[in-house]
Amino acid sequence: MRTPLSAAALALVCTAGQAVPVPDAPASSTRPLATLPGTQIGPWQIGPQSTRYSSQDTDHRIDARLIHSSRYRQQFGLDAGWLLGDQWAAGLNLAAGRAGDFRDLVGNLAWTPVPGWHGRLSLGRLQSTDPYAFASGTADVRVRQNAWLAGLVREAPEAGPVGDLRWAVYGARAQVPTLAPVVVQSQVGNLLQASSDLRLLSAGRMLGADMGVGLFPWSTVRLDLALGGERTRYPMADGSQQATSRLVARAGWQQDLDACRRVGLNLASTSASTSGGLNWESGRWMLGLSRTLHAASAPDTRLSMAWRLPLGGAVGADGGSRCALAPLRGSSAVSRLQLVSQRPAQLPQVVLARVDRSLQPQALASIDTSLVAPGYGIAIVGGQLVFTLERAAQGLVEIRTLENAATVPNVGVNGQPLLQLAGDRVTIPLDNIPNPGAGQQLTYEADFASVAPVIVMRISFTVKGR
């Protein structure tokens, strides 16, 4: 006895269109950092949540930091520089953290062909794992990024209001991985739809240039000013791109109020963040407050406090005063060690990657559930179309296509069975259905037989090609 039952109608479509808006996830995540009062003993600064070692001599400079709490993104940091003779100097900057699989490494090289002129080159490699909001849901993705900087520094004589002049060009380019598509299921009324979210990330490319100057208008004041421009581009899969250009600026001010007290203020605005900070030094005490507004992540607020404790000697540059500060020009003037041991402020500290929304998720299947016969079920689970038959079947009888009235083998495009039977469940992997071609369609009918009683159960579905 043959009982024809039209279980469902399915349409397979593979087309591309405009993206469904989904809010971008932050490119990185940071948490506020508060450093409680610490004690400095010689080169060591020890606090309840961090340990720091600083050492500087005529031919080297080392600053290492270790944050004990796993709450904070940056667990370890190192800034170091070495003089390699009269003309060459080299240094590196390293930051690493457990949260977000964060790694940041910058290598610096300085060349001094003639006294007072320094050429500089920096190469950086950044890696970060961050959440991105795709149409199929949020996913953590590891992105790597290369960066570079080339510049020239003119160090002015010790006398005069100009301390140094700086020129630089720099750039960065992200490297995004290829992610596997994810099937997204939705239902509106009787229409059950499955789409393939391609999960594309756009790799940003940034190019910038700036010029800076260090000024000493008075013996108790130092000003640092820099001005330039940056352009960041995000190429999209449909051939378009999102580009932004903006002015970048940095300003720093340090003022000696007297032999014991110094106040400092710094402001910076780039394509990645806007930041500001205030520092105060009085005798052995140092206090700092800064806040950074990231373009693609949560704000970062830092409060730091320290107390210096000298070992076996007087505090201060004069060798006798308990609170004398080092001269502004002597402590802040550009030197080769500073060039190679300080991380270039122009290089971004977040990866330039964002979700590519130029392509709409590809429609895989749309099923009219009102056509499902009584006793049958239909669902899309994990990229597979699943039919539930009236009762368990013993095996597949035949597969036909109605357009050409031909019997077809039970083989899909990847060589695996097109229809997979297990009891009363028939599974059809969506990526295994043959594509009829652009503008074409095929309607499949499949019969399954059962015993006790003998009955033939039929499902049908229509495939539309691209």
Side-chain angles (χ1 to χ4, degrees):
M1 174 182 178
R2 176 182 294 270
T3 305
L5 296 175
S6 178
L10 178 146
L12 180 69
V13 186
C14 297
T15 58
Q18 295 301 313
V20 178
V22 177
D24 277 311
S28 67
S29 59
T30 58
R31 298 193 179 189
L33 173 63
T35 302
L36 298 178
T39 300
Q40 183 163 332
I41 305 176
W44 293 93
Q45 179 179 316
I46 302 174
Q49 294 177 327
S50 64
T51 301
R52 184 168 187 163
Y53 174 84
S54 300
S55 174
Q56 181 169 347
D57 205 338
T58 56
D59 61 351
H60 76 272
R61 182 180 185 180
I62 298 176
D63 185 1
R65 306 167 299 280
L66 178 63
I67 298 177
H68 309 312
S69 174
S70 60
R71 290 179 53 199
Y72 304 133
R73 179 187 185 91
Q74 182 173 319
Q75 298 291 320
F76 175 76
L78 173 66
D79 299 313
W82 299 270
L83 298 183
L84 309 177
D86 295 334
Q87 291 188 325
W88 295 95
L92 61 86
N93 313 109
L94 172 65
R98 295 178 183 176
D101 189 28
F102 183 75
R103 305 287 187 276
D104 183 21
L105 177 63
V106 179
N108 307 300
L109 186 66
W111 176 49
T112 306
V114 295
W117 287 92
H118 312 290
R120 59 185 301 197
L121 176 66
S122 297
L123 300 176
R125 178 73 167 180
L126 177 63
Q127 171 185 296
S128 184
T129 300
D130 302 294
Y132 294 88
F134 299 100
S136 57
T138 301
D140 290 335
V141 183
R142 176 185 295 176
V143 177
R144 295 179 173 88
Q145 181 169 285
N146 295 323
W148 60 271
L149 177 143
L152 183 65
V153 177
R154 168 56 171 159
E155 190 172 0
E158 293 187 2
V162 178
D164 52 78
L165 296 172
R166 307 177 296 272
W167 301 267
V169 292
Y170 53 93
R173 182 169 183 171
Q175 299 174 340
V176 299
T178 300
L179 304 177
V182 172
V183 174
V184 183
Q185 176 181 331
S186 62
Q187 184 166 2
V188 179
N190 293 327
L191 187 62
L192 180 64
Q193 188 168 14
S195 302
S196 176
D197 181 13
L198 300 179
R199 299 203 305 170
L200 301 177
L201 283 179
S202 175
R205 306 169 186 177
M206 186 263 285
L207 186 64
D210 68 10
M211 176 181 178
V213 59
L215 299 174
F216 295 91
W218 300 281
S219 60
T220 59
V221 176
R222 174 178 171 87
L223 295 176
D224 284 287
L225 304 173
L227 187 65
E230 290 179 355
R231 179 174 174 83
T232 304
R233 298 184 297 115
Y234 291 91
M236 301 297 169
D238 65 350
S240 64
Q241 69 174 8
Q242 298 178 4
T244 57
S245 300
R246 65 172 295 172
L247 192 70
V248 296
R250 285 180 295 275
W253 166 66
Q254 288 182 294
Q255 170 77 55
D256 283 349
L257 302 179
D258 52 35
C260 294
R261 294 176 297 172
R262 173 179 295 166
V263 63
L265 176 67
N266 60 82
L267 300 170
S269 177
T270 69
S271 60
S273 65
T274 300
S275 62
L278 180 65
N279 300 296
W280 171 270
E281 294 184 53
S282 179
R284 297 180 180 181
W285 287 95
M286 295 177 291
L287 177 67
L289 175 65
S290 66
R291 182 169 175 82
T292 302
L293 302 177
H294 299 280
S297 66
D300 181 12
T301 302
R302 295 171 182 258
L303 173 64
S304 61
M305 184 181 295
W307 181 65
R308 292 190 298 261
L309 176 62
L311 292 179
V315 182
D318 62 357
S321 174
R322 292 174 53 85
C323 60
L325 302 172
L328 279 174
R329 184 181 287 268
S331 62
S332 302
V334 169
S335 68
R336 292 193 296 156
L337 275 179
Q338 286 180 313
L339 283 179
V340 296
S341 63
Q342 293 179 349
R343 188 186 191 280
Q346 297 90 336
L347 301 187
Q349 292 182 279
V350 296
V351 293
L352 305 175
R354 62 176 54 175
V355 177
D356 186 343
R357 308 192 188 282
S358 64
L359 298 182
Q360 182 180 2
Q362 293 183 348
L364 291 179
S366 57
I367 304 129
D368 189 348
T369 57
S370 66
L371 300 178
V372 178
Y376 286 64
I378 183 71
I380 299 172
V381 181
Q384 296 179 329
L385 179 64
V386 180
F387 290 94
T388 303
L389 302 177
E390 186 179 4
R391 57 173 52 90
Q394 299 299 313
L396 173 65
V397 177
E398 184 182 56
I399 304 177
R400 300 173 302 277
T401 55
L402 298 185
E403 283 76 11
N404 51 24
T407 300
V408 296
N410 185 26
V411 180
V413 294
N414 60 15
Q416 301 297 319
L418 175 61
L419 307 180
Q420 302 172 12
L421 175 64
D424 63 346
R425 295 168 63 90
V426 179
T427 303
I428 306 174
L430 295 174
D431 59 358
N432 196 29
I433 301 176
N435 183 7
Q440 304 297 316
Q441 74 174 36
L442 286 176
T443 300
Y444 289 85
E445 282 187 347
D447 293 337
F448 298 87
S450 70
V451 295
V454 177
I455 188 173
V456 174
M457 296 167 288
R458 175 177 298 166
I459 63 174
S460 65
F461 53 93
T462 300
V463 179
K464 293 183 178 181
R466 55 181 175 179

